[in-house]
Amino acid sequence: MQLTKIKLVIAGASVAAVVAAGAAFAVDFDTDESKASYGIGYGFANNMLQQTQGLELDVDAMVKGIEDAFAKADQAISEEEITAAIQALQAKQQAAAAAESAKLAEAAKAEGEEFLATNAKKEGVNVTDSGLQYEVITASGSDVRPTAEDNIKVHYHGTLVNGTVFDSSVDRGEPIEFNLGGVIKGWTEGVQLMAVGDKYRFTIPSDLAYGDSSPSPTIPAGSTLIFEVELLDIL
């Protein structure tokens, strides 16, 4: 829908004055104009929140821009200045996000290292040269093992060290098939130790998992991951 020639009039007050008055200013939605104006304003603000993606904005300056546009006044600053300012704010936001991500990753790494040190002392836990930890839950007795080039079929249940489940083919009730060389290092190394029919528990340090990356909101950067894996078949 295209809206043209919209005139903003609120009891004779300027837009800036209305915003400054805040909650003290009451609007009666008893006319089509007031209802339409409210809807347009609310939609505009929602769109701005989505488009600016958390940028810190000066509301007074934004209101001044709206006033000038409705008054058809000349733009107070150039497009070049506006673009440069937006880019500067985005860079600031990205730097803050990166710093926060690094902080969370370091905390996750520390938690994982503490867990790994304790887990390594448990009976039945084996530690490879890379730092991968594994336990044999069920041994099938088979000697058919995959290589990194093989496609395999598995059931798995993945958790963080605090017990949070982030992914589970077991919970979905559907095994998964993939190439063993195309997954995280801990999986590629660990599953090659298994024979068809075996079930192992792997505790995978962050550097053998996703490192400082966060592949999904459920797996924080720097996380140590725990998988219970049942090797169903080599395809």
Side-chain angles (χ1 to χ4, degrees):
M1 178 176 64
Q2 184 178 10
L3 299 175
T4 59
K5 298 183 180 179
I6 298 174
K7 185 178 181 182
L8 183 63
V9 179
I10 308 179
S14 71
V15 179
V18 172
V19 172
F25 187 88
V27 176
D28 293 324
F29 302 117
D30 54 0
T31 66
D32 289 338
E33 288 80 5
S34 63
K35 293 174 183 177
S37 297
Y38 177 81
I40 292 167
Y42 196 91
F44 169 77
N46 269 333
N47 287 334
M48 287 299 299
L49 290 172
Q50 293 174 13
Q51 292 174 17
T52 57
Q53 298 180 343
L55 293 181
E56 294 183 8
L57 299 176
D58 185 327
V59 175
D60 289 339
M62 183 181 294
V63 170
K64 175 59 176 172
I66 294 172
E67 279 193 310
D68 286 353
F70 274 108
K72 296 184 178 180
D74 291 337
Q75 191 166 286
I77 53 179
S78 69
E79 288 293 338
E80 289 76 10
E81 290 177 286
I82 294 170
T83 298
I86 290 173
Q87 290 174 344
L89 287 177
Q90 290 173 333
K92 179 181 177 182
Q93 182 188 47
Q94 290 167 359
E100 180 64 18
S101 178
K103 181 180 177 181
L104 293 174
E106 287 304 313
K109 284 181 183 178
E111 181 183 28
E113 288 170 0
E114 182 178 353
F115 184 90
L116 286 161
T118 300
N119 193 62
K121 299 174 184 177
K122 292 182 179 178
E123 184 178 354
V125 174
N126 304 280
V127 184
T128 70
D129 291 342
S130 71
L132 174 70
Q133 298 182 2
Y134 69 94
E135 304 165 67
V136 179
I137 299 174
T138 303
S140 66
S142 170
D143 59 359
V144 180
R145 290 177 169 79
T147 68
E149 290 73 35
D150 286 326
N151 293 321
I152 60 171
K153 182 178 182 180
V154 300
H155 250 321
Y156 67 91
H157 185 74
T159 66
L160 304 178
V161 296
N162 63 10
T164 300
V165 178
F166 59 81
D167 194 11
S168 175
S169 69
V170 176
D171 289 350
R172 291 192 298 272
E174 184 176 354
I176 187 170
E177 300 175 2
F178 55 85
N179 183 268
L180 188 53
V183 290
I184 58 175
K185 293 177 181 179
W187 266 79
T188 302
E189 178 186 354
V191 176
Q192 289 184 83
L193 302 172
M194 303 176 69
V196 173
D198 286 354
K199 185 175 182 180
Y200 281 25
R201 179 182 294 110
F202 297 108
T203 303
I204 304 177
S206 64
D207 61 334
L208 298 178
Y210 296 101
D212 291 336
S213 298
S214 176
S216 74
T218 55
I219 303 178
S223 292
T224 290
L225 307 180
I226 302 170
F227 286 95
E228 289 189 2
V229 180
E230 182 180 6
L231 180 57
L232 300 176
D233 200 3
I234 301 172
L235 306 175

